[in-house]
Amino acid sequence: MSTVSTRAPARADGPSQTRPPARRRRARRREQRWPAYVFLTPWMLGAAVLTLVPMAVSLYLSFTDYNLFDPPRWVGLRNYREMLTEDPRFWRSVGTTLLYVVVAVPLKLLLALGAAMLLKNLGRGRAFYRSAFYAPSLLGASMTIALVWRAMFNDGGSVVDILGSVGIDTGGWVGNPDLAVYVIVLLTVWQFGAPMVIFLAGLQQISPELYEAAALDGAGRWRQFVSVTVPMLSPVVFFNLVLEMIQSFQVFTPAFAVSGGEGGPADSTMFYTLYLYERGFTASHMGYAAAMAWLLLVVIGIITLILFRTSRSWVFYADEEGR
């Protein structure tokens, strides 16, 4: 007569099923990771050769006197000291760039948001208008468009003639120190297509139920915009603001084309990057230009950090309560 064993079967995770040694687990993880490193190798080589090494060289050159022809000569902080205390053109370029950023960025974002809100409720033809508004963002950065823009606002240009025909006699904007910088501002604002597309995507993600609830509470169009659209769209506004701010500090091609590469008249279009180019490649003061480049990097980094810090008080995320 057979007996039935009363011993309980061993559990799958019991002592009989021992885990592999730690050394074997680490070896297995390395075997699983090496294909990723193989595919990342071209990118890492490109980043090192084309980005990290040039950055390190430029940082070294910023502490030297280098004219592209003779070996660099170490001068320590002299380039930075001269730039901040002895170069009035440097400060004029800073002022021109700040004026451009303060005027161009808000106007561009406002126009992009307005166009996006119009396109959101547009039925037929929305794809056509979206493409048409986006096209200047692809073309506006080219030297050809900048030269055409210069011709339009120069003496005898179409814009000057149109304004003159309605009694607004401004003369050529390009040759006027008070108006030349606004030629570049208008060229930048005209390229509102890229942030417009981002705004449009953000608007389409806002739930219609929020607008319905606001309407039931008696909110009109303006109140719905202030209380629903702006808070829900604030992450997209923040994203566009950071991108446009960074790009605006680095503007070069429009300033070079409109001013003929000289920043005139009277340095009214001498943007920071244009002055950097002049000192580095025209005057052959490459060490000084490298110092200007690193100062620009630090300033952009500080302003970006400030934007991120202050964003906590005005950027609203729909899922922030659950985080």
Side-chain angles (χ1 to χ4, degrees):
M1 185 173 181
S2 61
T3 59
V4 179
S5 175
T6 59
R7 188 171 56 183
R11 294 178 60 184
D13 57 350
S16 60
Q17 297 291 333
T18 59
R19 299 179 65 184
R23 183 179 301 177
R24 188 182 304 174
R25 293 199 305 270
R26 288 195 296 267
R28 184 177 300 173
R29 283 197 296 265
R30 286 196 297 268
E31 292 177 357
Q32 294 173 348
R33 291 174 182 173
W34 74 263
Y37 291 126
V38 171
F39 285 106
L40 285 173
T41 298
W43 178 87
M44 290 188 292
L45 289 176
V49 174
L50 301 177
T51 303
L52 298 180
V53 172
M55 286 182 64
V57 172
S58 70
L59 180 60
Y60 166 74
L61 292 178
S62 70
F63 298 100
T64 66
D65 182 11
Y66 180 49
N67 60 8
L68 295 175
F69 303 103
D70 300 323
R73 183 172 59 88
W74 184 266
V75 295
L77 296 175
R78 192 184 73 182
N79 289 326
Y80 294 93
R81 185 170 58 251
E82 178 184 350
M83 179 171 43
L84 296 175
T85 62
E86 304 175 11
D87 190 354
R89 295 192 73 197
F90 167 81
W91 288 109
R92 282 199 295 271
S93 70
V94 170
T96 301
T97 304
L98 289 177
L99 172 64
Y100 167 81
V101 172
V102 170
V103 175
V105 172
L107 287 178
K108 185 176 182 179
L109 293 182
L110 288 174
L111 185 58
L113 178 58
M117 295 187 67
L118 291 176
L119 290 179
K120 177 191 174 184
N121 300 320
L122 187 64
R124 297 178 57 185
R126 182 168 62 178
F128 168 77
Y129 287 110
R130 183 171 54 191
S131 302
F133 289 154
Y134 184 74
S137 295
L138 299 176
L139 303 175
S142 67
M143 179 65 73
T144 303
I145 298 298
L147 291 174
V148 171
W149 206 265
R150 170 189 170 93
M152 290 171 55
F153 285 89
N154 212 338
D155 289 324
S158 56
V159 173
V160 176
D161 291 342
I162 292 173
L163 292 177
S165 65
V166 295
I168 305 176
D169 188 11
T170 60
W173 290 32
V174 175
N176 189 334
D178 297 327
L179 298 176
V181 67
Y182 295 104
V183 177
I184 305 173
V185 169
L186 291 176
L187 177 57
T188 300
V189 174
W190 177 63
Q191 304 169 44
F192 66 89
M196 180 206 69
V197 172
I198 299 174
F199 277 135
L200 183 59
L203 288 170
Q204 292 173 341
Q205 298 301 315
I206 301 176
S207 174
E209 297 177 355
L210 297 176
Y211 292 104
E212 294 175 1
L216 290 176
D217 289 340
R221 291 293 183 88
W222 175 251
R223 175 53 59 183
Q224 292 180 25
F225 174 77
V226 173
S227 301
V228 178
T229 303
V230 172
M232 299 302 296
L233 202 63
S234 58
V236 181
V237 174
F238 174 67
F239 177 79
N240 275 332
L241 176 62
V242 172
L243 286 186
E244 294 299 328
M245 187 273 301
I246 294 174
Q247 293 175 3
S248 295
F249 272 104
Q250 303 176 71
V251 63
F252 174 78
T253 301
F256 184 89
V258 170
S259 68
E262 299 178 355
D267 284 346
S268 60
T269 57
M270 181 59 74
F271 284 74
Y272 191 96
T273 52
L274 183 58
Y275 187 52
L276 187 154
Y277 169 84
E278 179 185 290
R279 291 304 301 263
F281 295 96
T282 303
S284 297
H285 293 164
M286 188 56 68
Y288 192 94
M292 288 186 62
W294 275 97
L295 182 61
L296 178 62
L297 176 64
V298 171
V299 169
I300 291 178
I302 292 174
I303 295 177
T304 304
L305 179 61
I306 293 173
L307 288 176
F308 272 91
R309 292 292 186 182
T310 57
S311 68
R312 299 174 182 177
S313 62
W314 62 275
V315 177
F316 170 78
Y317 294 96
D319 59 342
E320 63 182 359
E321 295 181 358
R323 289 187 295 178

